[in-house]
């Protein structure tokens, strides 16, 4: 139900062979273009250049990327295919450092490969593809369950602020933060969404506003820096954002700017919620200070996300462009997962929820 | 010393007649173009469209605009010229609602006109032009004095964060917040400046980075939403911003996003300083809640300040674009004026400073 959007990322059998098919999000909202990746390198490029982005969607793309690597390999022994899986996982792991779902999905694929040494090559390929598709299906299911748990936190008539895009486009579908918002809308809660434009890459203005418009959910785009003054004016009832990695103590890495919103929300006693599947948890890290933060190109800032030919800064200006920041657990009212809502103290609550679901949870990010 | 920039705004005797000459700031940093305004309407358009912006520079432009109106009027009686002044003041007052220096400068011009009824028309014109030029010269002088007072607050090696452009381009020259930064640089304090890009119109990336580069002051441009995480990382020693209006209790209206920075600074105990001439004070308003906040066009957000042909938001998206926000006095460590530094409690301190300078201070903004 819900959106008429094509899947964010899926497996496709094309005339030219198998492919990982994804919505090229760099072209939205102007054009809805599906890109077929026929080789692993194209999947890696799509992740690096943010054609596909969002922690869960990156995990799904990586799993499908591993499957693509074994399908496009001419290897005729399973041991050779296991080497292909290892090499593909290594290549995919190097695309982006912060979102832990990437490493989680690769680990699932690698483990399955190691457990499948006695299968003949064709069955091995089949089993890996099924696993990748399982990760995708599972992600969609988890998003819907996040929506069901999160909707309980949303009051009728709420003005909800969100940052970046934690929507269908950031997942296999439905979304995490936008999953909660979709569920609230479907329950006729009469909500309105403030959409942070989310500089530098404008995922809020470009992607979230587009997704919400597809669903007919009322929303208003603002510059990121206007969020605090809206809270000051009493115009925000709660904040719901996604996450790229959550550490054992409940610290959350998410799109740059998330921390600023959490600080303003705390000052105005606006509840700050994070919606994320358990695959976003990284119990191997004690706190957010250990999360590696991706630094991206100055051109994203200077050239307005590649949209202008002339730089907005003077020639040669120094630019600092971190992709993420870390919001400390103390500023977070609740973390909404597919198995329930973790509340303060988050560390204990997350550990409890995580133990309810053996298929998800921590992994090493090294 | 200082910059090789032409004046932000000045009177010019051109072959085509008298003109108000200003740097067209909408074309920076790409091109440095001087625009000559030959009629009042061009001055009004320049203020409305932000060719000239910044509270003190708007005041200077308005004063020169009134002089231009009397110089271009064919009226041959002083009483007619007084009507011209009144009409010009009304037209200029309608350009932008928030910066109080505009109303302060217009009031000075109107009062002088009322006091000059017995002058012959040519002397009347001359006296009004001298008054306008006096306002401009005076503003430059006040900026330098702000720099002298403010530099005492800046530690050697400080990382200073600023928002928008409160520089030479926002004043008759030298700047308010950037006046403090210039003075610190001139005293070899070895400072570095974090420049908020300042969406939607990017005055930080376009203007502040350009001004600092002209002076050789080390600086780094960031997206507005990265400021809080820099403070979290201990990378910001103080914040210095300008102001568009300061009320009797010390609340400060300034560029949208200022409040968000003040909230983050308070959390991290980073001193938050406001640098502004006394003409920015409006004792007729008790608190910031009474300051009218200008709402600007959604196109500034959607079309990236007029820099892209294709909107970044989906067609028909709702956008909210307030130009300013209000930072409550309690978040401000000090307000740096030309007659000294006002500290907490700001209300009493500002009143004391203001009484030291009879030529500046409050006015009605109606």
């Amino acid at each position: 139900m819900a959106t008429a959007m094509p899947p964010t990322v899926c497996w496709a059998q094309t005339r030219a062979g198998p492919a990982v098919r994804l919505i090229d999000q760099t072209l939205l909202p102007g054009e809805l273009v599906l890109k077929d990746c026929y080789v692993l390198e194209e999947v890696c490029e799509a992740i690096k250049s943010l054609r596909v982005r969002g922690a869960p969607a990156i995990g799904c793309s990586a799993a499908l990327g591993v499957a693509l690597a074994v399908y496009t390999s001419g290897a005729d022994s399973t041991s050779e295919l296991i080497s292909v899986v290892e090499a593909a996982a290594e290549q995919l792991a190097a695309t982006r450092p912060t979102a832990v779902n990437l490493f989680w999905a690769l680990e699932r694929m690698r483990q399955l490969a190691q457990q499948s040494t006695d299968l003949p090559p064709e069955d091995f390929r089949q089993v890996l593809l099924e696993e990748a598709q399982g990760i995708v299906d599972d992600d969609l299911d988890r998003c819907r369950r996040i929506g069901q748990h999160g909707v309980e936190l949303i009051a009728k008539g709420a003005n909800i602020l969100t940052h970046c895009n934690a929507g269908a486009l950031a997942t296999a579908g439905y979304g995490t933060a936008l999953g909660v918002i979709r569920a609230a809308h479907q329950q006729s809660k009469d909500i309105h969404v403030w959409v942070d434009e989310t500089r530098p890459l404008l995922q809020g203005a470009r992607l979230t506003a587009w997704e919400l418009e597809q669903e007919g959910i009322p929303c208003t785009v603002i510059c990121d820096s206007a969020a605090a003054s809206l809270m000051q004016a009493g115009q925000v009832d709660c904040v719901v954002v996604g996450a790229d990695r959550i550490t054992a103590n409940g610290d959350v890495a998410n799109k740059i700017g998330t921390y600023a919103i959490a600080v303003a929300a705390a000052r105005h006693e606006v509840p700050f919620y994070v919606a994320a599947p358990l695959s976003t948890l990284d119990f191997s890290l004690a706190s957010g200070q250990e999360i590696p933060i991706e630094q991206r190109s100055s051109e994203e800032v200077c050239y307005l996300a590649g949209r202008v030919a002339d730089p907005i800064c003077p020639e040669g200006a120094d630019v600092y462009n971190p992709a993420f920041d870390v919001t400390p657990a103390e500023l977070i009212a609740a973390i909404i997962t597919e198995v329930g809502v973790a509340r303060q103290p988050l560390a204990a609550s997350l550990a409890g929820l995580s133990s309810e679901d053996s298929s998800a949870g921590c992994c090493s990010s090294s």
Side-chain angles (χ1 to χ4, degrees), chain A residues 295-307:
Chain A
Q295 303 297 327
R296 294 185 61 89
S297 150
S298 65
E299 305 204 337
E300 291 179 352
V301 178
C302 288
Y303 293 87
L304 291 170
R307 284 173 182 253

Side-chain angles (χ1 to χ4, degrees), chain A residues 145 278 337-340 349-360:
Chain A
R145 286 155 61 201
L278 293 177
T337 77
E338 66 272 40
V339 297
S349 187
L350 288 171
L353 288 179
S354 172
S355 65
E356 293 177 25
D357 186 303
S358 60
S359 70

Side-chain angles (χ1 to χ4, degrees), chain A residues 203-291:
Chain A
Q203 293 93 335
R206 294 192 301 110
L207 309 179
T208 295
W210 183 80
E211 265 197 63
L212 294 176
E213 199 174 75
Q214 306 289 307
E215 298 272 343
I217 301 174
C219 66
T220 305
V221 176
I222 56 169
C223 290
D224 304 322
S225 67
S229 69
L230 279 174
M231 292 185 203
Q232 188 189 35
Q235 298 287 304
V236 180
D237 297 304
C238 67
V239 177
V240 189
V241 298
D244 288 78
R245 192 182 306 205
I246 301 173
T247 53
N249 69 337
D251 288 355
V252 169
N254 192 47
K255 180 59 52 202
I256 187 74
T258 303
Y259 174 63
I261 296 163
V263 169
R267 180 175 167 88
H268 294 288
E269 296 178 356
V270 171
F272 184 92
Y273 301 124
V274 174
L278 293 177
S279 56
T280 311
L281 288 174
D282 183 356
F283 284 126
S284 77
L285 301 186
S287 85
Q289 293 184 320
E290 299 173 38
I291 300 174

Side-chain angles (χ1 to χ4, degrees), chain A residues 2 37 43 78 108 140 162 186-187 273 283-284 286 293 313 330:
Chain A
C37 303
V43 178
T78 298
R108 261 181 72 163
L140 180 57
T162 192
Q186 283 159 6
Q187 291 191 11
Y273 301 124
F283 284 126
S284 77
I293 298 295
C313 307
E330 68 194 85

Side-chain angles (χ1 to χ4, degrees), chain A residues 26 58 179:
Chain A
T26 62
I58 290 171

